[in-house]
mmCIF file of all heavy atoms in Angstrom:
data_model
loop_
_atom_site.group_PDB
_atom_site.id
_atom_site.type_symbol
_atom_site.label_atom_id
_atom_site.label_comp_id
_atom_site.label_asym_id
_atom_site.label_seq_id
_atom_site.Cartn_x
_atom_site.Cartn_y
_atom_site.Cartn_z
ATOM 1 N N LYS A 23 96.775 135.940 99.843
ATOM 2 C CA LYS A 23 97.179 135.924 101.247
ATOM 3 C C LYS A 23 98.069 137.127 101.536
ATOM 4 O O LYS A 23 99.126 137.306 100.927
ATOM 5 C CB LYS A 23 97.966 134.642 101.566
ATOM 6 C CG LYS A 23 98.510 134.579 102.972
ATOM 7 C CD LYS A 23 97.400 134.508 104.013
ATOM 8 C CE LYS A 23 97.933 134.507 105.439
ATOM 9 N NZ LYS A 23 96.846 134.472 106.434
ATOM 10 N N GLU A 24 97.609 137.965 102.431
ATOM 11 C CA GLU A 24 98.417 139.101 102.895
ATOM 12 C C GLU A 24 98.816 138.869 104.336
ATOM 13 O O GLU A 24 98.006 138.427 105.141
ATOM 14 C CB GLU A 24 97.600 140.402 102.811
ATOM 15 C CG GLU A 24 97.489 140.952 101.414
ATOM 16 C CD GLU A 24 96.763 142.289 101.385
ATOM 17 O OE1 GLU A 24 96.353 142.768 102.461
ATOM 18 O OE2 GLU A 24 96.615 142.831 100.280
ATOM 19 N N PHE A 25 100.081 139.159 104.605
ATOM 20 C CA PHE A 25 100.560 139.124 105.991
ATOM 21 C C PHE A 25 100.719 140.551 106.480
ATOM 22 O O PHE A 25 101.060 141.444 105.712
ATOM 23 C CB PHE A 25 101.920 138.430 106.075
ATOM 24 C CG PHE A 25 101.872 136.958 105.826
ATOM 25 C CD1 PHE A 25 102.363 136.427 104.636
ATOM 26 C CD2 PHE A 25 101.352 136.091 106.787
ATOM 27 C CE1 PHE A 25 102.333 135.053 104.410
ATOM 28 C CE2 PHE A 25 101.319 134.718 106.562
ATOM 29 C CZ PHE A 25 101.813 134.200 105.364
ATOM 30 N N HIS A 26 100.483 140.759 107.774
ATOM 31 C CA HIS A 26 100.795 142.047 108.383
ATOM 32 C C HIS A 26 101.961 141.819 109.323
ATOM 33 O O HIS A 26 101.854 141.052 110.267
ATOM 34 C CB HIS A 26 99.580 142.594 109.137
ATOM 35 C CG HIS A 26 98.424 142.828 108.214
ATOM 36 N ND1 HIS A 26 98.220 144.009 107.556
ATOM 37 C CD2 HIS A 26 97.445 141.997 107.798
ATOM 38 C CE1 HIS A 26 97.154 143.911 106.787
ATOM 39 N NE2 HIS A 26 96.659 142.696 106.904
ATOM 40 N N SER A 27 103.073 142.431 108.988
ATOM 41 C CA SER A 27 104.267 142.192 109.803
ATOM 42 C C SER A 27 104.938 143.529 110.089
ATOM 43 O O SER A 27 104.434 144.590 109.722
ATOM 44 C CB SER A 27 105.233 141.274 109.051
ATOM 45 O OG SER A 27 105.802 141.979 107.965
ATOM 46 N N ALA A 28 106.106 143.449 110.741
ATOM 47 C CA ALA A 28 106.863 144.663 111.062
ATOM 48 C C ALA A 28 107.221 145.436 109.795
ATOM 49 O O ALA A 28 107.379 146.652 109.813
ATOM 50 C CB ALA A 28 108.121 144.285 111.828
ATOM 51 N N ARG A 29 107.344 144.708 108.682
ATOM 52 C CA ARG A 29 107.677 145.351 107.405
ATOM 53 C C ARG A 29 106.449 146.018 106.772
ATOM 54 O O ARG A 29 106.543 146.559 105.676
ATOM 55 C CB ARG A 29 108.192 144.303 106.405
ATOM 56 C CG ARG A 29 109.574 143.791 106.711
ATOM 57 C CD ARG A 29 110.045 142.867 105.599
ATOM 58 N NE ARG A 29 109.340 141.588 105.612
ATOM 59 C CZ ARG A 29 109.176 140.802 104.546
ATOM 60 N NH1 ARG A 29 109.611 141.196 103.371
ATOM 61 N NH2 ARG A 29 108.575 139.640 104.651
ATOM 62 N N GLY A 30 105.299 145.903 107.454
ATOM 63 C CA GLY A 30 104.062 146.418 106.867
ATOM 64 C C GLY A 30 103.313 145.288 106.210
ATOM 65 O O GLY A 30 103.474 144.128 106.602
ATOM 66 N N ARG A 31 102.512 145.616 105.197
ATOM 67 C CA ARG A 31 101.698 144.596 104.547
ATOM 68 C C ARG A 31 102.493 143.864 103.485
ATOM 69 O O ARG A 31 103.130 144.477 102.638
ATOM 70 C CB ARG A 31 100.482 145.254 103.896
ATOM 71 C CG ARG A 31 99.189 144.828 104.552
ATOM 72 C CD ARG A 31 98.017 145.500 103.884
ATOM 73 N NE ARG A 31 98.257 145.698 102.450
ATOM 74 C CZ ARG A 31 97.416 146.352 101.658
ATOM 75 N NH1 ARG A 31 96.323 146.882 102.151
ATOM 76 N NH2 ARG A 31 97.687 146.489 100.374
ATOM 77 N N VAL A 32 102.491 142.537 103.543
ATOM 78 C CA VAL A 32 103.172 141.735 102.523
ATOM 79 C C VAL A 32 102.129 140.876 101.820
ATOM 80 O O VAL A 32 101.447 140.084 102.464
ATOM 81 C CB VAL A 32 104.233 140.799 103.155
ATOM 82 C CG1 VAL A 32 104.938 139.995 102.068
ATOM 83 C CG2 VAL A 32 105.235 141.588 103.970
ATOM 84 N N ALA A 33 101.987 141.072 100.520
ATOM 85 C CA ALA A 33 101.099 140.194 99.747
ATOM 86 C C ALA A 33 101.935 139.014 99.268
ATOM 87 O O ALA A 33 102.706 139.135 98.325
ATOM 88 C CB ALA A 33 100.489 140.959 98.582
ATOM 89 N N ALA A 34 101.801 137.889 99.961
ATOM 90 C CA ALA A 34 102.626 136.715 99.644
ATOM 91 C C ALA A 34 102.056 135.948 98.459
ATOM 92 O O ALA A 34 102.799 135.361 97.678
ATOM 93 C CB ALA A 34 102.724 135.803 100.862
ATOM 94 N N VAL A 35 100.724 135.932 98.350
ATOM 95 C CA VAL A 35 100.041 135.253 97.243
ATOM 96 C C VAL A 35 99.000 136.213 96.701
ATOM 97 O O VAL A 35 98.201 136.761 97.464
ATOM 98 C CB VAL A 35 99.361 133.944 97.725
ATOM 99 C CG1 VAL A 35 98.530 133.322 96.618
ATOM 100 C CG2 VAL A 35 100.410 132.954 98.231
ATOM 101 N N LEU A 50 104.959 123.428 92.562
ATOM 102 C CA LEU A 50 105.065 124.887 92.676
ATOM 103 C C LEU A 50 106.548 125.225 92.677
ATOM 104 O O LEU A 50 107.279 124.818 93.588
ATOM 105 C CB LEU A 50 104.421 125.376 93.976
ATOM 106 C CG LEU A 50 102.911 125.144 94.118
ATOM 107 C CD1 LEU A 50 102.469 125.444 95.544
ATOM 108 C CD2 LEU A 50 102.136 126.000 93.130
ATOM 109 N N LEU A 51 106.991 125.953 91.656
ATOM 110 C CA LEU A 51 108.411 126.247 91.465
ATOM 111 C C LEU A 51 108.629 127.750 91.434
ATOM 112 O O LEU A 51 107.847 128.483 90.823
ATOM 113 C CB LEU A 51 108.877 125.638 90.129
ATOM 114 C CG LEU A 51 110.279 126.009 89.635
ATOM 115 C CD1 LEU A 51 111.353 125.381 90.513
ATOM 116 C CD2 LEU A 51 110.480 125.561 88.186
ATOM 117 N N GLY A 52 109.704 128.206 92.084
ATOM 118 C CA GLY A 52 110.031 129.626 92.004
ATOM 119 C C GLY A 52 111.136 129.955 92.978
ATOM 120 O O GLY A 52 111.493 129.136 93.835
ATOM 121 N N PRO A 53 111.698 131.162 92.861
ATOM 122 C CA PRO A 53 112.792 131.554 93.748
ATOM 123 C C PRO A 53 112.300 131.748 95.183
ATOM 124 O O PRO A 53 111.099 131.845 95.423
ATOM 125 C CB PRO A 53 113.281 132.874 93.155
ATOM 126 C CG PRO A 53 112.121 133.403 92.385
ATOM 127 C CD PRO A 53 111.340 132.222 91.907
ATOM 128 N N SER A 54 113.239 131.820 96.101
ATOM 129 C CA SER A 54 112.918 132.011 97.510
ATOM 130 C C SER A 54 112.052 133.260 97.691
ATOM 131 O O SER A 54 112.313 134.292 97.088
ATOM 132 C CB SER A 54 114.236 132.146 98.276
ATOM 133 O OG SER A 54 113.962 132.437 99.606
ATOM 134 N N GLY A 55 111.010 133.142 98.493
ATOM 135 C CA GLY A 55 110.175 134.293 98.808
ATOM 136 C C GLY A 55 109.057 134.568 97.815
ATOM 137 O O GLY A 55 108.336 135.560 97.950
ATOM 138 N N CYS A 56 108.862 133.692 96.821
ATOM 139 C CA CYS A 56 107.861 133.965 95.776
ATOM 140 C C CYS A 56 106.460 133.538 96.188
ATOM 141 O O CYS A 56 105.491 133.798 95.481
ATOM 142 C CB CYS A 56 108.240 133.287 94.466
ATOM 143 S SG CYS A 56 108.104 131.493 94.513
ATOM 144 N N GLY A 57 106.337 132.850 97.340
ATOM 145 C CA GLY A 57 105.001 132.489 97.836
ATOM 146 C C GLY A 57 104.656 131.015 97.723
ATOM 147 O O GLY A 57 103.492 130.630 97.898
ATOM 148 N N LYS A 58 105.640 130.161 97.489
ATOM 149 C CA LYS A 58 105.377 128.728 97.340
ATOM 150 C C LYS A 58 104.832 128.111 98.626
ATOM 151 O O LYS A 58 103.796 127.456 98.620
ATOM 152 C CB LYS A 58 106.665 127.980 96.959
ATOM 153 C CG LYS A 58 107.354 128.486 95.714
ATOM 154 C CD LYS A 58 108.620 127.681 95.421
ATOM 155 C CE LYS A 58 109.728 127.781 96.468
ATOM 156 N NZ LYS A 58 110.333 129.130 96.584
ATOM 157 N N SER A 59 105.568 128.331 99.727
ATOM 158 C CA SER A 59 105.152 127.716 100.989
ATOM 159 C C SER A 59 103.804 128.266 101.441
ATOM 160 O O SER A 59 102.963 127.521 101.952
ATOM 161 C CB SER A 59 106.196 127.964 102.081
ATOM 162 O OG SER A 59 107.388 127.293 101.767
ATOM 163 N N THR A 60 103.604 129.558 101.242
ATOM 164 C CA THR A 60 102.332 130.154 101.638
ATOM 165 C C THR A 60 101.184 129.506 100.861
ATOM 166 O O THR A 60 100.148 129.162 101.435
ATOM 167 C CB THR A 60 102.358 131.677 101.403
ATOM 168 O OG1 THR A 60 103.450 132.231 102.131
ATOM 169 C CG2 THR A 60 101.064 132.324 101.857
ATOM 170 N N THR A 61 101.380 129.301 99.560
ATOM 171 C CA THR A 61 100.346 128.648 98.744
ATOM 172 C C THR A 61 100.070 127.238 99.263
ATOM 173 O O THR A 61 98.916 126.830 99.422
ATOM 174 C CB THR A 61 100.786 128.586 97.261
ATOM 175 O OG1 THR A 61 101.085 129.914 96.818
ATOM 176 C CG2 THR A 61 99.700 127.994 96.386
ATOM 177 N N LEU A 62 101.146 126.509 99.560
ATOM 178 C CA LEU A 62 100.990 125.141 100.063
ATOM 179 C C LEU A 62 100.265 125.137 101.413
ATOM 180 O O LEU A 62 99.383 124.311 101.656
ATOM 181 C CB LEU A 62 102.365 124.480 100.200
ATOM 182 C CG LEU A 62 102.333 122.954 100.253
ATOM 183 C CD1 LEU A 62 102.049 122.380 98.867
ATOM 184 C CD2 LEU A 62 103.641 122.382 100.772
ATOM 185 N N ASN A 63 100.637 126.072 102.280
ATOM 186 C CA ASN A 63 100.010 126.149 103.596
ATOM 187 C C ASN A 63 98.535 126.537 103.510
ATOM 188 O O ASN A 63 97.729 126.135 104.359
ATOM 189 C CB ASN A 63 100.771 127.128 104.487
ATOM 190 C CG ASN A 63 102.172 126.623 104.829
ATOM 191 O OD1 ASN A 63 102.451 125.432 104.698
ATOM 192 N ND2 ASN A 63 103.046 127.519 105.240
ATOM 193 N N GLU A 69 97.317 128.008 106.890
ATOM 194 C CA GLU A 69 97.138 129.464 106.786
ATOM 195 C C GLU A 69 95.714 129.736 106.312
ATOM 196 O O GLU A 69 95.133 128.931 105.586
ATOM 197 C CB GLU A 69 98.123 130.068 105.761
ATOM 198 C CG GLU A 69 99.580 129.963 106.133
ATOM 199 C CD GLU A 69 100.034 131.013 107.131
ATOM 200 O OE1 GLU A 69 99.186 131.789 107.635
ATOM 201 O OE2 GLU A 69 101.242 131.046 107.417
ATOM 202 N N ASP A 180 106.914 120.208 101.086
ATOM 203 C CA ASP A 180 107.581 121.511 100.985
ATOM 204 C C ASP A 180 109.101 121.311 101.016
ATOM 205 O O ASP A 180 109.674 121.088 102.088
ATOM 206 C CB ASP A 180 107.133 122.426 102.129
ATOM 207 C CG ASP A 180 107.532 123.883 101.873
ATOM 208 O OD1 ASP A 180 108.414 124.115 101.017
ATOM 209 O OD2 ASP A 180 106.963 124.769 102.537
ATOM 210 N N GLU A 181 109.743 121.338 99.873
ATOM 211 C CA GLU A 181 111.191 121.164 99.731
ATOM 212 C C GLU A 181 111.705 119.972 100.548
ATOM 213 O O GLU A 181 112.665 120.117 101.317
ATOM 214 C CB GLU A 181 111.923 122.450 100.180
ATOM 215 C CG GLU A 181 111.295 123.712 99.601
ATOM 216 C CD GLU A 181 112.254 124.566 98.792
ATOM 217 O OE1 GLU A 181 113.354 124.096 98.465
ATOM 218 O OE2 GLU A 181 111.879 125.704 98.477
ATOM 219 N N VAL A 212 106.525 121.523 96.556
ATOM 220 C CA VAL A 212 107.173 122.840 96.472
ATOM 221 C C VAL A 212 108.680 122.680 96.332
ATOM 222 O O VAL A 212 109.291 121.912 97.075
ATOM 223 C CB VAL A 212 106.860 123.661 97.747
ATOM 224 C CG1 VAL A 212 107.856 124.798 97.916
ATOM 225 C CG2 VAL A 212 105.441 124.193 97.700
ATOM 226 N N THR A 213 109.271 123.397 95.398
ATOM 227 C CA THR A 213 110.725 123.399 95.265
ATOM 228 C C THR A 213 111.207 124.682 94.585
ATOM 229 O O THR A 213 110.456 125.321 93.856
ATOM 230 C CB THR A 213 111.231 122.171 94.473
ATOM 231 O OG1 THR A 213 112.652 122.193 94.410
ATOM 232 C CG2 THR A 213 110.685 122.151 93.064
ATOM 233 N N HIS A 214 112.480 125.045 94.854
ATOM 234 C CA HIS A 214 113.083 126.150 94.112
ATOM 235 C C HIS A 214 114.020 125.588 93.043
ATOM 236 O O HIS A 214 114.668 126.335 92.325
ATOM 237 C CB HIS A 214 113.857 127.066 95.061
ATOM 238 C CG HIS A 214 115.029 126.372 95.705
ATOM 239 N ND1 HIS A 214 114.905 125.634 96.866
ATOM 240 C CD2 HIS A 214 116.309 126.251 95.320
ATOM 241 C CE1 HIS A 214 116.072 125.106 97.168
ATOM 242 N NE2 HIS A 214 116.949 125.461 96.245
ATOM 243 N N LEU A 229 106.104 130.350 89.959
ATOM 244 C CA LEU A 229 105.649 131.514 90.727
ATOM 245 C C LEU A 229 106.741 132.576 90.802
ATOM 246 O O LEU A 229 107.935 132.269 90.810
ATOM 247 C CB LEU A 229 105.296 131.117 92.172
ATOM 248 C CG LEU A 229 104.149 130.158 92.415
ATOM 249 C CD1 LEU A 229 103.908 130.018 93.914
ATOM 250 C CD2 LEU A 229 102.889 130.634 91.737
ATOM 251 N N ASP A 231 106.924 136.559 92.869
ATOM 252 C CA ASP A 231 106.234 137.644 93.588
ATOM 253 C C ASP A 231 104.764 137.343 93.837
ATOM 254 O O ASP A 231 103.921 138.225 93.677
ATOM 255 C CB ASP A 231 106.314 138.953 92.792
ATOM 256 C CG ASP A 231 107.713 139.525 92.777
ATOM 257 O OD1 ASP A 231 108.537 139.065 93.592
ATOM 258 O OD2 ASP A 231 107.973 140.422 91.952
ATOM 259 N N GLY A 232 104.448 136.110 94.185
ATOM 260 C CA GLY A 232 103.070 135.778 94.540
ATOM 261 C C GLY A 232 102.111 135.600 93.394
ATOM 262 O O GLY A 232 100.904 135.446 93.608
HETATM 263 N N1 ADP B 7 104.116 134.585 108.722
HETATM 264 C C1 ADP B 7 104.548 135.535 107.886
HETATM 265 N N2 ADP B 7 104.520 136.841 108.246
HETATM 266 C C2 ADP B 7 104.932 137.815 107.409
HETATM 267 N N3 ADP B 7 105.400 137.594 106.172
HETATM 268 C C3 ADP B 7 105.467 136.323 105.746
HETATM 269 C C4 ADP B 7 105.047 135.223 106.575
HETATM 270 N N4 ADP B 7 105.227 134.079 105.873
HETATM 271 C C5 ADP B 7 105.738 134.440 104.682
HETATM 272 N N5 ADP B 7 105.876 135.774 104.601
HETATM 273 C C6 ADP B 7 106.380 136.519 103.434
HETATM 274 O O1 ADP B 7 105.627 136.138 102.301
HETATM 275 C C7 ADP B 7 106.445 135.999 101.155
HETATM 276 C C8 ADP B 7 106.352 134.584 100.607
HETATM 277 O O2 ADP B 7 106.927 133.686 101.536
HETATM 278 P P1 ADP B 7 106.963 132.118 101.300
HETATM 279 O O3 ADP B 7 105.612 131.647 100.893
HETATM 280 O O4 ADP B 7 107.556 131.503 102.499
HETATM 281 O O5 ADP B 7 107.959 131.995 100.047
HETATM 282 P P2 ADP B 7 108.747 130.722 99.465
HETATM 283 O O6 ADP B 7 108.230 129.498 100.136
HETATM 284 O O7 ADP B 7 108.471 130.755 97.994
HETATM 285 O O8 ADP B 7 110.200 130.962 99.741
HETATM 286 C C9 ADP B 7 107.835 136.410 101.610
HETATM 287 O O9 ADP B 7 108.020 137.774 101.323
HETATM 288 C C10 ADP B 7 107.802 136.167 103.087
HETATM 289 O O10 ADP B 7 108.709 136.993 103.761
#
Side-chain angles (χ1 to χ4, degrees):
K23 176 66 183 179
E24 283 184 0
F25 290 107
H26 298 271
S27 71
R29 287 185 288 155
R31 246 180 33 185
V32 181
V35 174
L50 296 170
L51 171 70
S54 175
C56 70
K58 304 180 296 294
S59 294
T60 303
T61 304
L62 200 74
N63 293 342
E69 295 280 5
D180 194 342
E181 314 237 12
V212 161
T213 182
H214 64 274
L229 296 185
D231 290 346

